[in-house]
Amino acid sequence: MASSSGTKGDVPKEVAIKKVQRASYNILPLHASGAVPAIMELPEIRVAVKALRDLDNLPKIRRVDGSSMLGTSGTSAHDLLDWLGLVFGFQLSNRTVTKLKDKVFQNYLLWCKYLRTDSEFPNAATQQLELLYIGLYFLIWGEASNIRFMPECLCYIFHKLNGIVHGNEHSATGDYNEPTHHGEETFLKDVVTPIYQVMHKEAGRNKNGHASYSKWGNYDDLNEYFWSRECLDQKWPMQHDIDTSVPTEGMHTKDEAMLIIAWSPLGSISAMFHPDVFRSVLSIFITAALLNFLQATLDLVLSWKAWGSLQYTQIIRYLLKFAVAAAWVVVLPIGYSSSVQNPTGLVKYFRNWAGNWQSQSFYDFAIAIYMIPNILAALLFMIPQLRRSMERSNNKIVVLVMWWAQPRLYVGRGMHEGMFSLFKYTLFWILLLISKLAFSYYVEISPLVEPTKQIMDLRVGYEWHQIFPNLKHNLGIVISIWAPIVLVYFMDTHIWYAIFSTIVGGIHGAFSHLGEIRTLGMLRSRFHTLPSAFSEGLVPSSIEGSRKNQDGSNRKNIAKFFNVWNAFISSLRLEDLISNSEKDLLLVPSSSDGKEISVVQWPPFLLASKIPIALGMAKDFKGKDDAGLFNKIKYDDYMSSAVIECYQTLKVILRDLLVEEEGKEFVKLIDKKVDASINSGKFLNNFRMSELPQLNNKLERLLNLLKEKRDNTDPQDVVAHRRQIIKVVQDMMEIIAQDIIISDEEIAACWNAVKDRIKYGIFNVNLDLLKNESWGEKVVRLHLLLSVKESAINVPMNLDARRRITFFANSLFMKMPHTPQVRKMLSFSVLTPYHKEEVLYSKEELNKKNEDGISTLFYLRKIYPDEWNNFREREIIKDGDSLEDHMDAVRHWVSYRAQTLSRTVRGMMYYRQALEIQGFSDMAENQDILGGHASHAPEKSYHDQLSQAVADMKFTYVVSCQVFSMQQKSTDIRDKNSYQNIVNLLLKYPSLRVAYIDEVEDTTDEKTEKVYYSVLVKGDVGCAKEIYRIKLPGPPTAIGEGKPENQNHAIIFTRGEALQTIDMNQDNYLEEAFKIRNVLAEFLEPHHGPRQPTILGLREHIFTGSVSSLAWFMSNQETSFVTIGQRVMANPLKVRFHYGHPDIFDRIFHITRGGVSKASKTINLSEDIFSGFNSTLRGGNVTHLEYMQVGKGRDMGMNQISMFEAKVANGNGEQTLSRDVYRLGRRFDFYRMLSFYFTAVGFYVSRMVTVLTVYIFLYGRLYLVLSGLEKSILEDPSIQQKQSLETALASQSVFQLGLLVVLPMVMEVGLEKGFRTALGEFIIMQLQLAPVFFTFQLGTKVHYYGRTLLHGGAQYRATGHGFVVFHAKFADNYRLYSRSHFVKGLELMILLFVYLVYSQSYRSSNIYLFVTFSMWFLVASWLFAPFVFNPSGFEWQKTVDDWTDWKRWIGHRGGIGIPVDRSWESWWEKEHEHLQYTSIRGRILEILLALRFLIYQYGIVYHLNISHHSKSVLVYGLSWLVMFTVLLVLKMISMGRRRFGTDFQLMFRILKGLLFLGFISVMTVLFVVCGLTIVDVFASILGFMPTGWSILLIGQACKRFLKSIGFWDSIKELGRAYEYVMGMIIFMPIVVLSWFPFVSEFKTRLLFNQAFSRGLQISRILAGREDDSTSAK
């Protein structure tokens, strides 16, 4: 609703000055003077305004002094919202209303029911009271600021205020009531601000994400206080010191059964039915009991910090769970021991302990009792309706029954799906698990059983000092072999998921008609069916009725389709995706009523070459049978249509062109003869077809003359032009009369008469028709039909235009809801958060060049050459013309190809244009529709004005420009430009709104303080005009994450029932906007299961895929996820959530349940997905639609992509720790939980397990090879199956390739582009090193996910969305990837090298390569991918510059304020900052992980020649003596450099000389006396370097302790030395490759597409010349 802008209370003076004096409004001009706007004439608007202004039967509000406020000037109550504002002191500009009362209060009523309290919501007997309650809730919501993230807190506030309203109701009119406030901002000050201050205080304890979650309260913690009845006992207003802290909620046995079966003598699945094997299998229940006991113990341990605030019922539940689990751990082993014949070991112990309990049936009886809860759970699983009812019930008996299964919560109740959905995803997982378990048994487990048995009985010899000499059965070997197999067993489930999701997603997509029209050929063959499909899907059925059987209705529907089609094609032209000629070939006539042209006028690209072919057929046709020729022509419907249209159009043109009646009569006579001949079947007898080409040539000449643009001011030119036209018309008439018509006396006589009068001008023409646009359109179209050849078959040439046309055509055949009329559709808003991203490129940014002399404009001109040429054609820019005169258009052309706000706003405003066109079609009369949409006319018709009004009513676009005010005040030129560009957008799009946070200084009682406002502005008369201003309790972005807080402050300015969230890197298309009515109708569809949809997921098209190979890889990966991935997640798995934009929310549902995102610091870093979690937990339903798509940009450079992946991995790490994931996992049934796990955090866990498997495998091999165990096993003659053992040892390496995870990508491309194209793209991706890229990003995911789990502290990482055409320096790459990739890559490389060196004496190289190939590939990818995909990464000069820069950086001393890109020390401190804030657990884990590096030294020293094969522990002890000696010498050198390096140079040199001589002496003794060899020296380096790294890692974890004892500087210098070594190892291959120029050329071709490669060469040629960036050429 509209309202006057601004608050009337404490508005600062400088703010008030900005106010425009005349009343401003948002959508509805309630107080407009003069003519009534069209929108105010809409019946629904008039009814709503009347209902809101009904104040009858409400008490008047009395001032404190006793005077009435009702009817007084300035503070009068004009409507219900004014009345509520006067009662409670709401700000007058805070207004929004909805009529969906039941939906608005659904959460409030559930809250009251949950707390078992009566709602302060009496049955509203009148519409007035309903509006009053709704208005009260939305006034609270609108002014709640950050409290909007706490929905139950809003319920509590409404509960209290509504009780006041209900208690003060007066039935008699004229009664007075005292207000409950003391000023307009009373509600803000007394209710909102105190709660805000509590939240702000809690957020301050977060310590920038470093504090433990148990140390501070986030939004969810504070909101969940209002889930308890304690909140109802608080005084009103709520106490400020209240403690609102609340707690957060804190293996399966099939694997054991498989191992038991495989271990049995029979070794097959059938062995399970053998009595002894079956009895052994029954021991899995003991394992289950142990796991349950472990779970109960963890529940106690992990929740002990929250025990102080837990409800006593939860504490009792935890204790009882623990007691019962402990009891079963005792009972089941005792029962099992009593049932085993000849027990041994622990079984014998339990049997003796059991005493007299021995009974064969006791264990079976115990199992039966143990399984009762599981059987009941299975029954409830099979009847989801019963489970839903029980979970939602507040009956005390039912609550007590459910209490044991799961704690009672306000959210997460009744999430179970319907029977059919349950059956689908259960069947999916049963088939998947059967396949996975069978494969694991036969491939992973069974082959290893027999070799393992042999190894356990084998006597082996060690080549080092055995630490556990009494260890039996060679358990160390068994663990080394089986550990990676176990990890692969858990990890490969995700691979099976990829396979099954690919199959199911492909089948689902095929049945959804995806890819049925994917080429231009398919489009042409089915284009004739598009109007009917369009009519079925996009035309409101209520308008047409029985339209199929009515020719007029069919023509009207075709006209509606062509109106939409023409708008679509025109938008392609404005976007420069097609040229003018292509536009002409794709457009259809704007008006066709069927009176002049009897056939459908298809786009000319469908009719290309049809007329020339028909002419050839007619000319060459032999015989006089009309049916033969006509049947040939009619066989091709398009050809038949083209022939008829050409003939009828020619008649119309000649009729209108000729002035004299005699000429017109002659044309009519010819027409009459043609019709008579056709009707009588004698056309070929009466007309000579061989002369048609001659007539065609003359006709083309005539049409060319009619199309010519002449100078009408030159009389001579006009006369000459007229004569030429008349001459051609005469020639045509002569050819028809004398050459084509065969001996017709009437025609001959008429022609002779006409010929004699030609000199009198009977064929005179009307040249004024050339100014008629509609007539000229007919001329152009006829000329196209006659002249267009087969080349038009490939129209359009632009690949993106083809994609959009084919997808739009294809989508018309997909299943979608029936579309309503625009006036009956759901209203919706679009919200885009903006911070400081690019709005519109400036001239300077376009022409700024990188190191290679490439500017952004130059780059884009080479990437999009066809679009640049189309732009020049549209702007009429010729070769050599300067671009200065067209710079504004050039800036927009570039910005519309980047990820800018301008592109996003243009795309979203297509919604309004589409609604205008569709509103016109809904309301206009037949003649208006057949005449075309008149939006281009100078005078807007009534229907045009009404359609614009309806579009305004149904659609709102708000951009939340958080820093808009700051940009206005800033002196920075970029900020100023951004502000002005946003204002220009407001002026360009009058329907656009911008919301921002305004910070002003307010002086009260001589005290200055900052005051914050949420402000909404629109464009008006050259400036941004303020509409609303809402005062805030404090800075809204100071509590949570920036982006969701930015959305939250602006969401109050959105309207309607739906809300689409659009990010800054997205785009929209006009043709897709036409389907928004269908999409919104999904909210009302009844076929979505037990719950209506609350989030509608839309597919996305990644438009940045053509920029570079990296962008293409990301595009394919993202496309796979947003199509086939989300398709399967939504159906059948029912676990799709909100993964960002452009999903559409049920606005009312979500704003009453916490908003469209969560904003708590750190934990909600991935704020989008938490809204999906929240929606599902609160009874929502998330779907996925594929008949509409929205454009989206992705990161395009290696570093950008890596930072994005790091941000997502950090966010997933926080998700893993969140209460939302815990609750979803516990509240879902088992199979839906599996779906949730493998599509959410399980993806990252699987990636981490993949890398962990490599580590476990290699460290296991390291243990076996250094200890000599592997050699002993493989050389032992008792091992008969060496080959099978080696194959089994290597089996897990096959899975490291992970090639199967690309299956969804191949399937989706195959569906939408064809499987031949999919195979080609897959091969090209491999040739462009896509596996290297994806393997590298695997390291990024694992590193940041693992670090977040260990240490927390995830932070937002800005990636930027610009074009990456610059070279990243080596130091930049080193800083970004050192810890995530380089360190790990070097560690794996050393592992592989050691394994190679110490196993080559007894293992073949083929087996080694087979085992380790994928791991070497991983090492190479992690070490060198950043340089392979770095522009100009292997150019010699840049390599030299990079080395110089890196040396300067690593040698620079750090200090306070020194940035990380200037000093290695600053970066090093920053890189390990997380260790200073981590928990004790995190430090201990870091130290334990660092100990793995000590195995190198322990194993290698026993293989040195100097050790003389000794296995004494003294050998290892002496190695530590050597290690400490080396470190001591390095410490002496470091201290000497600091103390004597400057003032006592001579002494320092003497010290170094003495140390050098001592080193030479010691080495001489070792070589001569002790038997040291050169091989030993290199081996010692391999052994001691990892030890030093281990010491370094432990030192970093113990920084505080080492600083206190003065050893921190030594650790730092040790770290610098290792960084030097690592840098040199990585840099050397780059240097070698840079020597060869062809490497750089190859890499450039690899990284960028062919156009850019040409551009790069051109830029080198142009280097040193004048800048030609201002030239259009």
Side-chain angles (χ1 to χ4, degrees), residues 80 84 101 104-105 120-140 158 162-163 165-166 169:
L80 294 175
L84 287 168
K101 168 180 167 288
V104 169
F105 293 108
E120 295 292 344
F121 197 70
N123 293 326
T126 64
Q127 184 189 63
Q128 182 189 63
L129 291 179
E130 291 182 350
L131 289 173
L132 193 69
Y133 297 139
I134 294 171
L136 175 60
Y137 183 88
F138 278 104
L139 288 170
I140 294 171
F158 176 81
N162 200 41
V165 172
H166 179 47
E169 284 181 357

Side-chain angles (χ1 to χ4, degrees), residues 834 837-841 891-909 957 978 981-982 984-985 988-989 992 1064 1066-1067:
Y834 165 86
E837 296 88 349
E838 201 70 59
V839 180
L840 188 72
Y841 279 101
R891 291 171 58 203
H892 281 85
W893 184 85
V894 172
S895 300
Y896 289 154
R897 276 141 193 84
Q899 299 176 53
T900 60
L901 182 62
S902 296
R903 179 175 191 163
T904 303
V905 170
R906 180 195 66 172
M908 295 308 114
M909 292 310 296
Y957 185 29
S978 296
N981 289 330
I982 293 173
N984 292 339
L985 287 175
K988 184 176 182 180
Y989 303 104
L992 176 65
M1064 243 292 303
Q1066 297 199 260
D1067 193 8

Side-chain angles (χ1 to χ4, degrees), residues 1264-1510:
L1264 293 176
V1265 74
L1266 292 181
S1267 64
L1269 295 175
E1270 186 178 74
K1271 180 179 179 181
S1272 178
I1273 294 171
L1274 296 179
E1275 292 182 349
D1276 193 288
S1278 63
I1279 301 293
Q1280 301 298 323
Q1281 299 176 339
K1282 286 185 180 180
Q1283 189 64 37
S1284 63
L1285 174 61
E1286 291 179 340
T1287 303
L1289 291 175
S1291 63
Q1292 63 270 28
S1293 68
V1294 176
F1295 292 95
Q1296 309 312 317
L1297 296 176
L1299 293 178
L1300 294 177
V1301 297
V1302 304
L1303 279 177
M1305 186 186 307
V1306 175
M1307 174 62 77
E1308 189 61 27
V1309 175
L1311 271 177
E1312 301 194 21
K1313 297 183 181 180
F1315 286 96
R1316 184 173 61 180
T1317 302
L1319 180 62
E1321 289 193 2
F1322 176 77
I1323 295 173
I1324 293 173
M1325 286 181 67
Q1326 308 314 303
L1327 296 177
Q1328 290 191 328
L1329 305 184
V1332 174
F1333 169 77
F1334 289 120
T1335 304
F1336 184 84
Q1337 294 307 329
L1338 168 68
T1340 305
K1341 294 181 177 75
V1342 170
H1343 174 77
Y1344 288 100
Y1345 181 74
R1347 174 182 284 190
T1348 303
L1349 290 183
L1350 279 178
H1351 309 294
Q1355 293 182 346
Y1356 179 81
R1357 299 170 187 269
T1359 60
H1361 299 298
F1363 295 103
V1364 181
V1365 292
F1366 59 85
H1367 169 79
K1369 296 181 180 179
F1370 177 80
D1372 294 334
N1373 285 331
Y1374 189 86
R1375 284 191 293 269
L1376 188 57
Y1377 304 119
S1378 173
R1379 294 302 179 265
S1380 60
H1381 294 82
F1382 296 160
V1383 167
K1384 295 178 177 63
L1386 289 172
E1387 178 186 357
L1388 294 176
M1389 185 177 72
I1390 294 174
L1391 280 168
L1392 289 167
F1393 185 72
V1394 172
Y1395 183 38
L1396 171 65
V1397 170
Y1398 287 97
S1399 66
Q1400 62 182 356
S1401 62
Y1402 57 87
R1403 181 188 289 277
S1404 68
S1405 58
N1406 291 335
I1407 292 294
Y1408 173 81
L1409 288 176
F1410 177 66
V1411 172
T1412 63
F1413 167 76
S1414 61
M1415 301 173 194
W1416 276 110
F1417 179 80
L1418 182 143
V1419 168
S1421 300
W1422 283 8
L1423 292 180
F1424 301 109
F1427 311 105
V1428 171
F1429 295 110
N1430 186 19
S1432 306
F1434 295 135
E1435 287 192 10
W1436 176 252
Q1437 186 56 48
K1438 283 186 170 52
T1439 302
V1440 173
D1441 295 340
D1442 285 354
W1443 176 252
T1444 304
D1445 176 74
W1446 186 76
K1447 282 181 59 181
R1448 185 188 306 113
W1449 170 75
I1450 203 169
H1452 194 286
R1453 298 286 173 179
I1456 298 176
I1458 303 297
V1460 295
D1461 59 346
R1462 295 284 301 279
S1463 166
W1464 171 84
E1465 290 188 10
S1466 299
W1467 167 79
W1468 198 68
E1469 294 281 356
K1470 180 71 175 177
E1471 187 68 24
H1472 304 107
E1473 186 181 27
H1474 61 279
L1475 294 175
Q1476 308 312 309
Y1477 299 99
T1478 189
S1479 62
I1480 297 297
R1481 180 191 61 186
R1483 294 181 195 277
I1484 294 174
L1485 287 174
E1486 280 288 332
I1487 293 173
L1488 291 177
L1489 289 173
L1491 295 178
R1492 71 184 185 272
F1493 293 100
L1494 300 182
I1495 191 175
Y1496 295 89
Q1497 179 182 339
Y1498 185 81
I1500 289 176
V1501 294
Y1502 287 100
H1503 287 266
L1504 298 178
N1505 293 318
I1506 195 174
S1507 68
H1508 302 294
H1509 304 289
S1510 172

Side-chain angles (χ1 to χ4, degrees), residues 1097-1254:
L1098 301 181
R1099 61 177 282 156
E1100 297 167 322
H1101 165 69
I1102 312 303
F1103 56 73
T1104 51
S1106 62
V1107 174
S1108 67
S1109 59
L1110 293 180
W1112 186 43
F1113 301 157
M1114 281 295 290
S1115 172
N1116 285 336
Q1117 175 182 278
E1118 188 75 6
T1119 299
S1120 170
F1121 175 69
V1122 301
T1123 52
I1124 191 171
Q1126 294 185 16
R1127 182 187 311 146
V1128 175
M1129 290 157 66
N1131 187 18
L1133 301 185
K1134 304 300 289 184
V1135 288
R1136 189 195 186 278
F1137 300 105
H1138 175 52
Y1139 304 97
H1141 312 286
D1143 292 356
I1144 301 177
F1145 291 81
D1146 183 330
R1147 180 172 173 271
I1148 306 302
F1149 179 92
H1150 284 90
I1151 66 176
T1152 57
R1153 290 165 177 81
V1156 295
S1157 58
K1158 284 195 172 185
S1160 296
K1161 277 285 188 183
T1162 310
I1163 192 71
N1164 295 144
L1165 180 67
S1166 298
E1167 74 286 340
D1168 294 320
I1169 196 170
F1170 281 96
S1171 65
F1173 293 162
N1174 185 53
S1175 184
T1176 303
L1177 283 168
R1178 292 175 176 272
N1181 181 23
V1182 186
T1183 66
H1184 182 69
L1185 311 176
E1186 298 207 70
Y1187 54 82
M1188 180 176 174
Q1189 67 179 359
V1190 176
K1192 187 171 188 177
R1194 271 298 176 207
D1195 304 288
M1196 296 174 280
M1198 189 67 173
N1199 293 356
Q1200 285 180 317
I1201 293 171
S1202 296
M1203 286 190 288
F1204 170 77
E1205 294 287 2
K1207 179 180 69 174
V1208 174
N1210 279 337
N1212 273 270
E1214 295 293 345
Q1215 290 173 37
T1216 308
L1217 305 174
S1218 69
R1219 76 191 76 197
D1220 304 78
V1221 169
Y1222 174 80
R1223 288 170 178 169
L1224 285 168
R1226 292 294 297 269
R1227 304 280 167 155
F1228 280 150
D1229 59 68
F1230 175 70
Y1231 295 109
R1232 198 172 175 200
M1233 180 273 294
L1234 285 179
S1235 303
F1236 171 57
Y1237 172 76
F1238 283 103
T1239 57
V1241 297
F1243 173 82
Y1244 282 84
V1245 174
S1246 298
R1247 303 277 76 73
M1248 191 163 62
V1249 171
T1250 300
V1251 175
L1252 188 61
T1253 303
V1254 177

Side-chain angles (χ1 to χ4, degrees), residues 1548-1558:
F1548 181 57
R1549 291 185 178 185
I1550 293 172
L1551 175 63
K1552 290 195 295 184
L1554 292 175
L1555 290 174
F1556 177 73
L1557 292 175

